[in-house]
Every structure is written in C-alpha cells, then in structure tokens.
Amino acid sequence: MDGVELTNAAVAFEDRTLTPAGKFDLAPVNLRVADVSLDLSRPLPVQLDAVINGHARFDASGTLTPEPLAADLDVKLAKARMQILQPYVLPVADLTINGGELGVAGKVRLAPPGGQRPELTFDGDVTIDGFRSVDNSLKEDLVNFERLHLQALSYTMAPDALSIDRVQLRQP
C-alpha cells in the first residue's frame, strides 16, 4: 500500500469533561498519508486540512510516526472564534467571551515520553483579533482589545517552559 486518502469527511465530537460540553464539528476533513507501510517506526508524510465549526480553517503538514508516537508538523489555524473556548474558561474565570478570532501559525513537535526531547513543543506566532469579554458578576466589560500578537512564542511540555519574544497589544 502506497498511501491513504480521506476526502470530504465529517467528524463531530464533544468534550464531556466540561459542563456545558465543548462541541466540535469538523467538516470537510481531508487527510493524506503517503508511503504507508507495516513498519510503524517509519515517519509518514501527512497532510491534513479541516474546517472547525463551520468557520475556522486548520492545516497541518509534515511527518507522523505511529510507534512510538511522534510528529513534526507545520500547523496553521485561522479565524477560530474565541467563543469556542467558553466551556474551558468558566471553571477558572467568571467571564463570558463575546468575540474574537484566534490565529496560530507554527511548528508542533511531539516526542515519545521519557526521551531526551520535550514531549510537546510549539514554536510560532499566535494572534487574537477583536477580543471582547464581560465580567459575569459585575456585568461590565472585562478585557477587550483590537489585536494581541504573540511573536516567536516557544512552548514545551515535559519539561514545561514558555517564552515569548514580543507581545504587541493594540487598542486595549
């Protein structure tokens, strides 16, 4: 078998660890995996593109190793509505997200646990445009801005570390 291709698929799932549950609909989903073999330790070239909840565009391309699980991917997320994060915000902050779009572009690396490299690494830029939020107890604006741009953000997990080269905030 040389490759596998999934075209125009749809995936719907809920994160029921939250109340209310986080709901995600991915459609269309297109996935291409090349050079497929029974050697699961061999990195496979992959390309994925999907639309999340009808508006956010997600693209990933690079390599994925099935066993042990590892990846080296260029990723891009565009126009993701910040309201999708509301179920994740309420347990830690009493605020309502009324607007904003998230954009992410960078490189994600996943390494097997217990190795010499961090288990997860992200290097890239993060942008939030048009963010609006309300403090639920005071019923007034909390954090609002035209644009937040985090340039050259570097995050690692296991060991945990975060660095940001430049933070630009426009019209807070």
Side-chain angles (χ1 to χ4, degrees), residues 9 26 74 77 82 114 146 161 166:
L26 286 71
D74 291 314
L77 176 68
M82 295 295 295
E146 168 127 354
R166 177 181 280 174

Side-chain angles (χ1 to χ4, degrees), residues 81-99:
R81 292 185 185 141
M82 295 295 295
Q83 291 93 326
I84 198 169
L85 300 176
Q86 187 65 51
Y88 299 93
V89 170
L90 281 176
V92 295
D94 190 20
L95 69 92
T96 298
I97 299 172
N98 290 327

Side-chain angles (χ1 to χ4, degrees), residues 86-141:
Q86 187 65 51
Y88 299 93
V89 170
L90 281 176
V92 295
D94 190 20
L95 69 92
T96 298
I97 299 172
N98 290 327
E101 288 186 340
L102 173 68
V104 176
K107 180 142 239 20
V108 172
R109 290 176 200 87
L110 181 67
Q116 298 296 318
R117 297 179 6 186
E119 291 179 23
L120 176 70
T121 302
F122 172 80
D123 292 297
D125 291 349
V126 176
T127 304
I128 301 172
D129 288 312
F131 187 80
R132 303 286 177 261
S133 67
V134 172
D135 181 305
N136 291 335
S137 59
L138 297 175
K139 306 286 189 239
E140 52 187 52
D141 286 351

Side-chain angles (χ1 to χ4, degrees), residues 6-30:
L6 178 69
T7 305
N8 207 22
V11 177
F13 65 93
E14 293 182 354
D15 182 353
R16 293 185 182 168
T17 63
L18 305 168
T19 304
K23 296 181 181 183
F24 302 90
D25 291 310
L26 286 71
V29 176
N30 300 300

Side-chain angles (χ1 to χ4, degrees), residues 152-170:
L153 181 144
S154 182
Y155 170 76
T156 63
M157 183 176 78
D160 297 342
L162 173 67
S163 70
I164 303 169
D165 187 54
R166 177 181 280 174
V167 177
Q168 293 178 319
L169 181 61
R170 190 181 313 150

